[in-house]
């Protein structure tokens, strides 16, 4: 972009904040996903209203400039990475909760609302917003919609798509449309709301979200089952299902994850076992279901306790930190595969085999209730290119095996930029072509978040 075009941008975006300072471009040039090739955006713009988003996209459409929409930047698949010649459109300042209607069990919010803030506001009415990604304290609802984010409560309440009733979306040319309805049921026409949810900003920019709220449970019980190995803990997931208990939360942590948490937070998880199955039941039957879970896990050899409220909250909070912080001396990649629950035990065993054979480190956490695993592979940076080659080989094999078991390359983080290399392994060419055709309908010039979510060629 020439200086003249930058001047045209600043003149065209009346009243809209824009910044081209190097430190700003660096801060907004990527999310938390692996960076394949870093590119600075040309500018960052912040919208505060629907009209400003329309104004920005009209300019982008007219000038042929690509736009990367961004929430809080907590994504881990590179969905908000800047691409060559783009501007980054930040929606973080569109952060108002516009309405909560307790009798209709819904809320209407702007995309920049923090997930935890929506939950706190809903709690005043005895309600909750069920999707709760581990980053719920900092991630935005708009970003959650863009990636169809999951979370700990997915086992019972589903992913973001299951709680989205309607959307206001600005298309590439600045046109504002509304999809869906304010009722729990509605089947008029094609389900564009679900199409936009999880489209990672490639079809339009979400500027308004109507979400379904749920009742806050009257009781919650948290059960911690410590096992001698992760395969035994994973078997506990299936055993709980056979007992016909539907936990709200069912999380699995291996020994390496517990060691990392103990080191970072001063906990003593690893001393209690080599794997942890953390289960939470809720509702009027929470205590009765917890008793069943305790019995089932005990029969499998788990050391089981019904935790007191303080430790229960600590355990759940520790799980939310299990991804860990980046370590500058390591090349580390966290995965997001899902397999049918019946394959959970064998898939985890295979992950450990891969780590041994490829000589890479591994830790595994999982939303075990729905078969969504987050294995993290890493090597020390001192191993150089040889270490990176082994790391890539382990990643490729883990993806191929998940697909062979009937799974998917991403359960909740989205394809973004990083996972494009595996997308064609999961989806047949006819499906990929249909997605390209859909993209062309909504964004014929291809200016919205290019190089993300779908294979364009």
């Amino acid at each position: 972009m020439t200086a003249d075009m930058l001047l045209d941008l600043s003149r065209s975006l009346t009243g809209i904040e824009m910044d081209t300072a190097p430190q700003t471009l660096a801060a907004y040039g990527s999310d938390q996903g692996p960076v394949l090739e870093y590119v600075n955006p040309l500018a960052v713009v912040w919208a505060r209203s629907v009209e400003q988003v329309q104004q920005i996209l009209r300019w982008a459409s007219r000038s042929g400039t690509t736009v990367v929409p961004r929430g809080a930047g907590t994504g881990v698949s590179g969905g908000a990475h800047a691409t060559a010649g783009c501007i980054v459109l930040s929606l973080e300042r569109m952060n108002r909760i516009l309405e909560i209607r307790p009798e209709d069990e819904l809320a209407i919010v702007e995309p920049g609302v923090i997930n935890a803030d929506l939950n706190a506001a809903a709690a005043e009415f005895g309600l909750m917003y069920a999707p709760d990604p581990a980053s719920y304290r900092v991630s935005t609802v708009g970003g959650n919609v863009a990636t169809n984010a999951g979370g700990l409560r997915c086992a019972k309440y589903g992913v973001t798509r299951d709680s989205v009733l309607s959307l206001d979306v600005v298309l590439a040319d600045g046109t504002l449309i509304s999809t869906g309805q304010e009722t729990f049921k509605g089947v008029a026409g094609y389900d564009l709301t679900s199409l936009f949810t999880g489209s990672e900003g490639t079809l339009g920019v979400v500027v308004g979200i109507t979400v379904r709220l749920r009742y806050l449970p009257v009781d919650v019980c948290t059960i911690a089952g410590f096992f001698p190995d992760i395969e035994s803990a994973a078997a506990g997931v299936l055993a709980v299902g056979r007992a016909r208990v539907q936990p709200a939360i069912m999380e699995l942590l291996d020994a390496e994850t517990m060691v990392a948490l103990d080191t970072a937070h001063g906990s003593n998880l690893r001393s209690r076992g080599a794997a942890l199955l953390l289960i939470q039941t809720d509702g009027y039957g929470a205590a009765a279901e917890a008793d069943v879970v305790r019995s089932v896990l005990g029969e499998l050899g788990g050391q089981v306790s019904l935790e007191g409220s303080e430790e229960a909250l600590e355990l759940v909070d520790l799980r939310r930190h299990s991804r860990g912080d980046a370590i500058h001396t390591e090349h580390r990649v966290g995965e997001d595969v899902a397999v049918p629950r019946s394959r959970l035990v064998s898939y985890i065993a295979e992950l450990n085999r891969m780590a041994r054979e490829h000589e890479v480190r591994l830790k595994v956490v999982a939303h075990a209730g729905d078969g969504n695993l987050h294995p993290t592979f890493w090597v020390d940076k001192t191993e150089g290119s040889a270490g990176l080659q082994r790391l890539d080989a382990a990643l490729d094999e883990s993806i191929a095996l998940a697909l062979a078991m009937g799974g998917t390359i991403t359960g909740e983080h989205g394809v973004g930029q990083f996972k494009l290399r595996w997308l064609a392994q999961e989806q047949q060419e006819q499906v990929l072509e249909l997605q390209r055709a859909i993209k062309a309908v909504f964004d014929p010039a291809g200016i919205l978040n290019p190089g993300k979510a779908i294979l364009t060629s």
Side-chain angles (χ1 to χ4, degrees), residues 13 35 38 45 57 123 133 146 210 256 264 270 279 395 413 439 448:
L13 305 185
V35 178
Y38 183 80
V45 294
L57 288 184
T210 300
E256 285 278 3
R270 181 62 181 90
I279 296 177
L395 289 170
H413 292 165
K439 167 76 168 172
L448 292 178

Side-chain angles (χ1 to χ4, degrees), residues 348-391:
I348 288 174
E350 287 294 298
L351 285 174
N352 283 294
R353 175 193 60 76
M354 292 174 209
R356 291 191 300 270
E357 291 185 357
H358 294 288
E359 299 180 31
V360 298
R361 299 288 300 277
L362 168 71
K363 66 176 184 177
V364 179
V365 297
H367 304 304
D370 53 22
N372 187 187
L373 302 101
H374 298 313
T376 297
F377 294 99
W378 74 93
V379 295
D380 194 281
K381 286 185 177 179
T382 59
E383 299 182 60
S385 60
L388 287 175
Q389 288 175 1
R390 298 199 313 274
L391 181 63

